[in-house]
Amino acid sequence: MNIPNAPTRTVFYAEYISDLLGQIWLAATDKGICSIRFDEDSASFIAYLATRVITSEAPSIVHSPVETRPYSDALDDYCEEKIQIQADLPVDLHQMTEFQQQILQIVRQLPMGATTTYGDISDQIENPNASRAVGQVLRRNPIPIIIPCHRVISSDGTLGGYGGAIGSERKIALLKHEGVILA
């Protein structure tokens, strides 16, 4: 029996590779995609899932390209065909607070090829002094690409941050892929 809002007991994961994104790891629950990470190996990704995503007492982490297929297909469309990832693709943000989810849902609605600023998002949540908080939420975005935090830039036109050691290069590549002209 599936109990609404019950902690997820199984997380499915798989590797995804593309020229644009390189190697990434996807994880999904029965509610939707819950994680995309740029970890180098499966062990690092599984360790992350075990400590950050799963909240049940006896979690199960299962390698399953079949269960993650809808998300890898959406990424294929984005990477290969330059097709916007649909906003109705199921996501599981159970590990995020209501405030964080509000910000991520706003960012999720950003159309491909468009950008906005941290300040614009803080204005949308009716908290004009929350630009830094918005940046921190996006820094912890568990589902980059699906929730396109790379489309959020600083008000002075600079890129702002993007996770990982090669984050800025990745952010530039994603924006260029979407046709955003960078000075």
Side-chain angles (χ1 to χ4, degrees):
M1 176 167 75
N2 191 2
I3 302 168
N5 299 320
T8 299
R9 292 195 167 275
T10 304
V11 176
F12 303 99
Y13 77 96
E15 180 181 32
Y16 177 83
I17 299 174
S18 75
D19 289 341
L20 177 64
L21 300 174
Q23 175 189 11
I24 63 174
W25 295 93
L26 313 174
T29 67
D30 59 340
K31 293 177 178 60
I33 189 163
C34 62
S35 183
I36 292 179
R37 301 262 306 177
F38 299 99
D39 290 314
E40 294 180 17
D41 58 52
S42 62
S44 298
F45 185 59
I46 291 168
Y48 167 80
L49 292 176
T51 61
R52 301 293 305 272
V53 174
I54 300 171
T55 59
S56 66
E57 292 179 23
S60 178
I61 301 172
V62 178
H63 181 262
S64 179
V66 172
E67 293 292 332
T68 59
R69 173 101 46 233
Y71 313 106
S72 59
D73 287 349
L75 289 170
D76 278 343
D77 289 345
Y78 172 78
C79 293
E80 305 304 325
E81 306 296 328
K82 295 187 180 184
I83 296 173
Q84 169 94 20
I85 294 175
Q86 297 303 309
D88 62 352
L89 190 68
V91 298
D92 181 352
L93 296 173
H94 78 274
Q95 74 271 28
M96 308 300 285
T97 67
E98 187 175 318
F99 175 75
Q100 292 167 329
Q101 288 184 33
Q102 179 184 21
I103 291 167
L104 294 173
Q105 291 299 344
I106 289 169
V107 172
R108 190 166 187 209
Q109 301 304 314
L110 291 172
M112 189 170 175
T115 60
T116 192
T117 66
Y118 301 100
D120 288 341
I121 294 170
S122 66
D123 288 344
Q124 287 183 52
I125 62 170
E126 298 179 1
N127 190 345
N129 297 321
S131 295
R132 287 186 182 196
V134 168
Q136 290 303 309
V137 169
L138 296 181
R139 185 174 152 257
R140 292 177 179 88
N141 176 6
I143 317 169
I145 317 302
I146 304 289
I147 298 176
C149 55
H150 61 277
R151 297 178 187 152
V152 183
I153 60 174
S154 298
S155 59
D156 63 4
T158 58
L159 289 179
Y162 198 71
I166 61 166
S168 294
E169 292 173 27
R170 185 174 285 125
K171 187 170 187 171
I172 291 168
L174 291 167
L175 291 171
K176 284 183 177 180
H177 174 73
E178 295 183 8
V180 175
I181 299 170
L182 302 170

